[in-house]
Amino acid sequence: MGAKERKRVPRAVREQEMLDAAVESFARHGYRAASMDDIAEAAGVSKPLVYQYLHSKEELFTACVRRESATLISAIREATGLEAGQVMPADRQLWNGLCAFFAHTAAHPHGWAVLHQQARTQGEPFATQVAVLRAEMVEVVTRLIGSAAQDAGCDGALAAREVSGLAHALVGSAESMAEWANSRQSDPPSPKETAATLMSLCWPGLENLLNGVRWKPTR
Amino acid sequence: MGAKERKRVPRAVREQEMLDAAVESFARHGYRAASMDDIAEAAGVSKPLVYQYLHSKEELFTACVRRESATLISAIREATGLEAGQVMPADRQLWNGLCAFFAHTAAHPHGWAVLHQQARTQGEPFATQVAVLRAEMVEVVTRLIGSAAQDAGCDGALAAREVSGLAHALVGSAESMAEWANSRQSDPPSPKETAATLMSLCWPGLENLLNGVRWKPTR
């Protein structure tokens, strides 16, 4: 393909192709080991063009983290009806959110590896960006538990601190299951199966807590 | 204190003091930024003595990861009765294990930060050591669910794959809650409160699953 033909590809499209190649390379080799030469080659462009568009390896990685975070959180927000201000029962909302989360992380395993394994371990500014994504996921779940508590007519029965702990537990369990599901070489569960397992594990207890029923060590 | 008096401290004791100082420094500053000068000073010894005993920064970090992993997993194994081959109801076993986990991570916040935040992000050989610890925690929970299934007379009702997913969900939720509890500046929950929240969230669903009762999206 000649240089003239290449130029027909708009910059925005070309940048996305560079990010696709970069996400895969960072996921496979890690931030430090990934090479700009390989990324340029995989994107089908010259290395100077990568530098012209994304400036540096750090900025390229930042752009990857930003894009993968944004698409994941928007998939969750859309599925839970938060974008449209939709009202739905809390269990349906949690189910939709988990299905979207596991579907997205299964469809974008390299993006998930960049966020979950690479970005939060490379120091600043990446760790902060991933912390922001995590805070957004916790926020979605916190709002969900809060509105479920209102629905159950037991608003205030759960202390804000415990709601925060529950939201962190749910996000941590979903992150861990996504990593587990993506790492299974054979017989991987479907995103819906993973979501159903986590709903079956967590919803009965959450419903109990919303109704003031707790597990007690002495029973 | 004179050099003669220093010599009275046995090597094993001195090494533990070096590890104490190193764990705190690695947790506070990260593996790369932590300085051997500061670690030696905090341990009250000369830098050459640190190198004589632990050889290099990498070996020092490895020794920290190994010690912190070993004490955490042995606290969990002892609490769940695995060390002594004790038999106890599954909910009591899970409760004991969670209490031990949250008590240990609260009492050793720097050790937990080294394992959870530093070690798994610094490449090999550290990542593998932390993966081994995580696999041991998953293994404890997997055995626990397996024996609970036997107790409930429903052995085989849960596919091995789902038990594996549940174990990863439980370990992920506990890791996430420990990080959350240790990061709370004010009003931190006690280890027992955190364990009780997670038991209340997860035990009812786990008990249901053991009895073949699942959450269904259509209900």
Side-chain angles (χ1 to χ4, degrees):
Chain A
M1 202 185 284
K4 211 173 166 188
E5 202 170 341
R6 281 236 165 272
K7 279 191 183 154
R8 287 195 203 133
V9 179
R11 175 169 175 158
V13 174
R14 187 64 83 202
E15 275 190 8
Q16 293 306 311
E17 289 169 358
M18 292 177 188
L19 292 186
D20 290 343
V23 164
E24 181 164 346
S25 186
F26 288 132
R28 280 189 196 282
H29 309 297
Y31 173 61
R32 271 175 286 171
S35 107
M36 293 295 267
D37 285 296
D38 293 346
I39 291 169
E41 198 188 323
V45 299
S46 68
K47 195 160 79 163
L49 194 67
V50 179
Y51 279 103
Q52 189 190 320
Y53 283 6
L54 278 316
H55 312 119
S56 67
K57 190 174 175 184
E58 185 178 309
E59 284 190 47
L60 175 60
F61 189 65
T62 302
C64 290
V65 172
R66 211 170 264 155
R67 186 184 76 170
E68 299 305 316
S69 285
T71 55
L72 174 57
I73 198 74
S74 99
I76 295 169
R77 294 177 68 90
E78 195 189 321
T80 51
L82 286 173
E83 296 297 350
Q86 253 178 291
V87 176
M88 60 178 92
D91 61 342
R92 163 64 58 178
Q93 200 177 23
L94 185 56
W95 164 248
N96 286 356
L98 290 175
C99 285
F101 175 76
F102 291 121
H104 192 92
T105 52
H108 305 89
H110 298 312
W112 176 242
V114 164
L115 294 176
H116 187 61
Q117 284 155 16
Q118 294 300 324
R120 61 183 181 172
T121 71
Q122 300 300 339
E124 298 308 338
F126 317 127
T128 296
Q129 284 185 305
V130 172
V132 167
L133 164 71
R134 197 162 201 276
E136 281 195 70
M137 294 199 291
V138 167
E139 164 69 14
V140 167
V141 178
T142 303
R143 281 173 58 182
L144 190 152
I145 298 174
S147 68
Q150 275 186 320
D151 290 353
C154 63
D155 199 18
L158 277 181
R161 191 179 62 179
E162 187 156 41
V163 172
S164 173
L166 289 167
H168 281 86
L170 281 163
V171 169
S173 61
E175 289 173 334
S176 181
M177 287 191 96
E179 189 182 353
W180 163 78
N182 280 2
S183 72
R184 283 184 71 91
Q185 301 292 325
S186 69
D187 194 24
S190 74
K192 282 213 166 173
E193 279 175 84
T194 309
T197 296
L198 190 49
M199 274 304 280
S200 292
L201 177 65
C202 290
W203 183 255
L206 196 54
E207 205 168 28
N208 279 358
L209 281 167
L210 294 172
N211 291 300
V213 178
R214 314 184 64 86
W215 181 88
K216 291 270 166 49
T218 48
R219 73 170 184 187
Chain B
M1 203 186 283
K4 210 172 167 190
E5 201 170 340
R6 279 235 165 277
K7 277 188 182 155
R8 290 196 200 134
V9 179
R11 175 169 176 157
V13 174
R14 187 64 85 202
E15 275 190 8
Q16 292 306 311
E17 290 169 358
M18 291 177 188
L19 292 185
D20 291 342
V23 164
E24 179 164 348
S25 187
F26 288 133
R28 281 190 195 281
H29 309 296
Y31 174 62
R32 271 175 286 171
S35 108
M36 293 294 268
D37 285 296
D38 294 345
I39 291 169
E41 197 188 324
V45 298
S46 68
K47 196 159 79 165
L49 193 67
V50 179
Y51 279 102
Q52 190 191 319
Y53 282 6
L54 278 319
H55 311 119
S56 67
K57 190 174 175 184
E58 186 177 309
E59 284 190 47
L60 176 60
F61 190 66
T62 302
C64 290
V65 172
R66 210 169 266 156
R67 186 184 76 170
E68 299 304 317
S69 286
T71 55
L72 174 56
I73 198 73
S74 99
I76 295 169
R77 294 177 68 90
E78 195 188 321
T80 51
L82 286 173
E83 296 297 350
Q86 253 177 293
V87 176
M88 59 178 96
D91 60 345
R92 163 65 57 176
Q93 201 177 24
L94 184 56
W95 165 249
N96 287 356
L98 291 174
C99 285
F101 175 76
F102 290 122
H104 192 92
T105 53
H108 304 89
H110 297 313
W112 176 241
V114 164
L115 294 176
H116 187 60
Q117 285 155 17
Q118 294 300 326
R120 60 182 182 173
T121 71
Q122 301 299 341
E124 297 309 337
F126 316 127
T128 296
Q129 284 185 304
V130 173
V132 167
L133 164 70
R134 200 165 198 275
E136 281 195 70
M137 294 199 292
V138 168
E139 163 69 13
V140 167
V141 178
T142 303
R143 281 173 58 182
L144 191 152
I145 299 173
S147 68
Q150 276 186 318
D151 289 352
C154 64
D155 200 19
L158 277 181
R161 189 179 64 178
E162 187 156 42
V163 171
S164 173
L166 289 167
H168 280 85
L170 281 164
V171 169
S173 62
E175 290 174 334
S176 180
M177 286 191 98
E179 189 181 357
W180 163 78
N182 280 2
S183 72
R184 283 184 72 91
Q185 301 292 324
S186 68
D187 196 23
S190 73
K192 283 213 165 171
E193 278 175 85
T194 309
T197 297
L198 190 50
M199 274 305 281
S200 290
L201 177 66
C202 290
W203 183 255
L206 197 54
E207 205 167 29
N208 279 356
L209 281 166
L210 294 171
N211 290 301
V213 179
R214 314 183 64 87
W215 181 88
K216 290 270 167 49
T218 47
R219 72 170 182 186

